[in-house]
Amino acid sequence: DVVMTQSPLSLPVILGQPASISCRSSQSLVHSDGNTYLNWFRQRPGQSPRRLIYQVSKRDSGVPDRFSGSGSGIDFTLKITRVEAEDVGFYYCMQGTHWPLTFGQGTKVEIK
Amino acid sequence: EVQLVESGGDLVQPGGSLRLSCAASGFTFSSYWMSWVRQAPEKGLEWVANIKLDGSEKYYIDSVKGRFTISRDNAKNSLYLQMNSLTAEDTAVYYCMRGGLHSMDVGGQGTTVTVSS
């Protein structure tokens, strides 16, 4: 199985400041169809996960443009330009290139 | 608005069975792969199973193969997960999620399965 490793696992941030989460996969996530199926999810306290980013850098509908995804191959990053209070929660990367689909351990984002 | 409502979670003894259901609305159910994702207490997310649009393909994580069966009824806009031979390691909140070939996007509020004697 592809192992997804996130860092840091805990990220205290100051409101209005940027934040960045790294995700590294144990294998290349480039699919045979040419796409890279790397997704980012946020799970707010007490809620189900919701996807923010798919195929490395494509934002889902309704996701603020302060969220951006980048990377290639095995190294990927989620960036928040200016953290807001509603951004608190756990963030997970997930690869959809290889079966089974696998998630990272999660990064807890909290306000400092 | 996309809505996914799970039900069927319960406290069950080891070796027991449960059937989870997910009622979908707000989108064309038959046009999407569907998945079950679970989250053990204080743990991260784990993909469990998914099913193709017409139910012709089904995939499972190794730890549930032979014990869990995913199914769907497109006429009822419903997704199911039949869980047999349950163990303590299956204790988790189970989320029904839209999508599943390469990604999922939204999930329901979850249903809690507790396996304990």
Side-chain angles (χ1 to χ4, degrees), chain A residues 1 31 33 37 39 41 43 46-51 54 60 92 94-97 99-105, chain B residues 33 35 37 39 43-47 50 59-62 95 97 100-110:
Chain A
D1 297 359
H31 193 272
D33 65 10
Y37 295 105
N39 309 275
F41 290 83
Q43 185 176 31
Q47 296 187 15
S48 66
R50 177 201 173 190
R51 193 180 66 190
Y54 63 100
D60 274 280
Y92 297 89
M94 188 207 86
Q95 67 82 21
T97 297
W99 293 70
L101 310 180
T102 48
F103 290 89
Q105 320 97 299
Chain B
W33 280 72
S35 297
V37 170
Q39 187 168 34
K43 298 292 186 183
L45 301 169
E46 180 179 53
W47 169 79
N50 58 15
Y59 300 95
Y60 302 91
I61 194 171
D62 281 350
Y95 296 104
M97 297 198 74
L101 179 56
H102 297 296
S103 185
M104 299 82 75
D105 57 0
V106 295
Q109 85 289 351

Side-chain angles (χ1 to χ4, degrees), chain A residues 5-12 20-23 91 105-109:
Chain A
T5 303
Q6 289 182 228
S7 63
L9 299 185
S10 178
L11 184 56
S20 180
I21 301 170
S22 174
C23 177
Y91 289 75
Q105 320 97 299
T107 294
K108 184 177 183 179
V109 172

Side-chain angles (χ1 to χ4, degrees), chain B residues 32-59:
Chain B
Y32 286 84
W33 280 72
M34 294 295 296
S35 297
W36 287 99
V37 170
R38 67 185 178 184
Q39 187 168 34
E42 306 304 315
K43 298 292 186 183
L45 301 169
E46 180 179 53
W47 169 79
V48 174
N50 58 15
I51 185 168
K52 196 176 179 179
L53 283 62
D54 59 357
S56 60
E57 294 180 30
K58 305 174 185 182
Y59 300 95

Side-chain angles (χ1 to χ4, degrees), chain B residues 5-102:
Chain B
V5 180
E6 302 92 336
S7 61
D10 205 346
L11 170 63
V12 61
Q13 291 189 341
S17 298
L18 276 179
R19 188 192 194 210
L20 306 184
S21 299
C22 171
S25 61
F27 65 101
T28 305
F29 181 73
S30 58
S31 297
Y32 286 84
W33 280 72
M34 294 295 296
S35 297
W36 287 99
V37 170
R38 67 185 178 184
Q39 187 168 34
E42 306 304 315
K43 298 292 186 183
L45 301 169
E46 180 179 53
W47 169 79
V48 174
N50 58 15
I51 185 168
K52 196 176 179 179
L53 283 62
D54 59 357
S56 60
E57 294 180 30
K58 305 174 185 182
Y59 300 95
Y60 302 91
I61 194 171
D62 281 350
S63 60
V64 309
K65 280 180 185 174
R67 301 188 299 121
F68 288 14
T69 302
I70 189 172
S71 62
R72 65 192 296 163
D73 185 335
N74 287 344
K76 294 183 177 180
N77 291 337
S78 293
L79 178 71
Y80 306 100
L81 187 67
Q82 177 67 42
M83 305 188 296
N84 299 329
S85 303
L86 286 161
T87 73
E89 285 67 45
D90 298 315
T91 294
V93 176
Y94 284 73
Y95 296 104
C96 161
M97 297 198 74
R98 186 175 71 169
L101 179 56
H102 297 296

